[in-house]
Every structure is written in structure tokens, then in C-alpha cells.
Amino acid sequence: MPHRCPWYLGYFLLNPLRKLRQHPGRMLEPHVKPGFRVLEPGPGMGYFTLELARLVGPTGKVHVVDIEPRMLAALARRARSAGLETRIDMRLGREDGLGVGDLEGEIDFVLAFAMVHELGNVAGFFSEAAAVMRSGARLLLAEPQGHVSEASFALECAAAEAAGLVVVDRPSIWQSRAAVLAKA
Ligand SMILES: C[S@@+](CC[C@H](N)C(=O)[O-])C[C@H]1O[C@@H](n2cnc3c(N)ncnc32)[C@H](O)[C@@H]1O
């Protein structure tokens, strides 16, 4: 089983200096419009989630799934203080899947940032993600260069393509390997 990010590192991932290199607004604005339904698996304490909730606006929704309850508890506190909690649906994940079958064909954008390398079943993950995506929806996959080699990243992209997604862009994200995938 791959190594999972310990919950207390969630605080480190909220470090404000991260914004200098991985600015949530600049990274996500091109992908997320008002009214969108977004899925964010592995949000941690929500470094990207609050920005996603701002971008979808009052008519959109961000569905987050994390396997670590302490990550979700911190995310819930942060969402409440930002007044964004009604835009965020929080779900506790399981080892055997995301548990998002009820969202089939409803999701406009998926953000999978620094989480796929922590999964035991990468093929299963992309098949669940592809099933919830509308046709034409996009998935931004980003992995930390320090943990994921170019060869391993290529295997992740191949698993996504086997699930019916197509790589349409390779954006440059600081210290990351990244791809944008679209559902045909
Ligand atoms: C390295 S953190 C990244 C957090 C966030 N995406 C960011 O970039 O700041 C990885 C997150 O994935 C979560 N995770 C690991 N395995 C998971 C699974 N099977 N289902 C849902 N979340 C999972 C971890 O609990 C952790 O919050």
C-alpha cells in the first residue's frame, strides 16, 4: 500500500508561502466557472477547496472526499470561517473507493492534486472519476515531482486514458508533474 500523507502535514500544505508558487486562483480560474459541480478527491485541509468554492459561486458545489477525518475536520472549520460551508459537500473516503456513485455524469471539473500516488487502486480511481464527469469535463492531475517519477506519472496518465480520458494539455506547475485530461 502506498504511503499516505500524515494528517498533521495538512497544516504544512496550508503554508501561505505556497501561494507564491502554486496560487489557487491563478491555477483554477481557467478551469472553473460559476455554477460548476466540482469533485476534489484528497483535498487535505482544503488548500484549493476554498478557492474552488469561491469560483463555483452560490449556485455551484464542490464535493470533497478525503480518507482522513482530521483533514476534513480542519477543512470544515476553515470553510465555516470563510462562510463557504454551504457550497462544500464533505465525504469521508474509503480504501475501496470514493463513494461518489450518486454523482454519475454530473461533474464539470475534477481536481486531483498530490493525491493519486497515495492510492492503492489508481485504475479504479480514474474509472470512478471518469464515471462522474460530464462529457467534455476536465480533470487536472498534478503530482509532486519529488514523489512521482516521470515514468510513474506516465503510468497514471495511461490509467486515466484507459478509463476514457484524454490528455489535452501538460501545464507547468511548480515542482509538479501535471496534465489536463478531458472526457470525450
Ligand atoms: C498530499 S495530501 C494533498 C492535499 C491537497 N490536495 C493539497 O494539494 O494540498 C493527499 C491527500 O489525499 C488524501 N487521501 C489519501 N488516500 C485517499 C483516498 N483513498 N481517498 C481519499 N483521499 C485520500 C490524504 O488523506 C490527504 O489529505
Side-chain angles (χ1 to χ4, degrees):
M1 183 57 69
H3 176 73
R4 190 181 306 150
C5 174
W7 70 271
Y8 48 83
L9 282 187
Y11 291 108
F12 171 77
L13 292 169
L14 297 177
N15 176 354
L17 289 178
R18 190 178 175 192
K19 286 197 175 154
L20 297 176
R21 301 289 188 163
Q22 293 181 347
H23 192 275
R26 281 197 288 276
M27 197 183 297
L28 298 170
E29 260 168 38
H31 300 289
V32 184
K33 306 285 171 238
F36 264 27
R37 306 271 302 271
V38 171
L39 173 65
E40 187 190 8
M45 295 181 180
Y47 177 72
F48 292 105
T49 315
L50 300 189
E51 187 61 31
L52 287 168
R54 285 188 193 100
L55 289 169
V56 300
T59 58
K61 201 83 175 178
V62 183
H63 303 272
V64 301
V65 185
D66 205 289
I67 202 156
E68 171 51 68
R70 287 167 288 196
M71 294 284 197
L72 288 178
L75 169 49
R77 283 194 295 276
R78 298 181 66 242
R80 271 196 301 277
S81 5
L84 292 167
E85 72 274 26
T86 57
R87 300 184 195 178
I88 304 173
D89 161 40
M90 293 186 207
R91 301 178 181 205
L92 187 59
R94 307 178 314 244
E95 287 295 349
D96 64 346
L98 297 172
V100 289
D102 57 311
L103 303 177
E104 192 172 330
E106 293 185 2
I107 295 295
D108 301 290
F109 178 69
V110 180
L111 176 66
F113 204 103
M115 64 86 60
V116 171
H117 65 283
E118 297 191 9
L119 302 176
N121 182 357
V122 172
F125 166 78
F126 282 115
S127 133
E128 266 189 295
V132 298
M133 289 164 75
R134 288 181 199 282
S135 124
R138 299 206 159 188
L139 181 154
L140 174 58
L141 169 67
E143 290 283 61
Q145 271 173 10
H147 293 304
V148 179
S149 67
E150 191 56 44
S152 302
F153 189 73
L155 288 176
E156 291 182 5
C157 289
E161 295 201 314
L165 305 179
V166 180
V167 175
V168 292
D169 194 15
R170 288 292 307 262
S172 170
I173 299 178
W174 183 70
Q175 289 203 343
S176 304
R177 304 188 198 283
V180 176
L181 295 114
K183 181 167 171 176

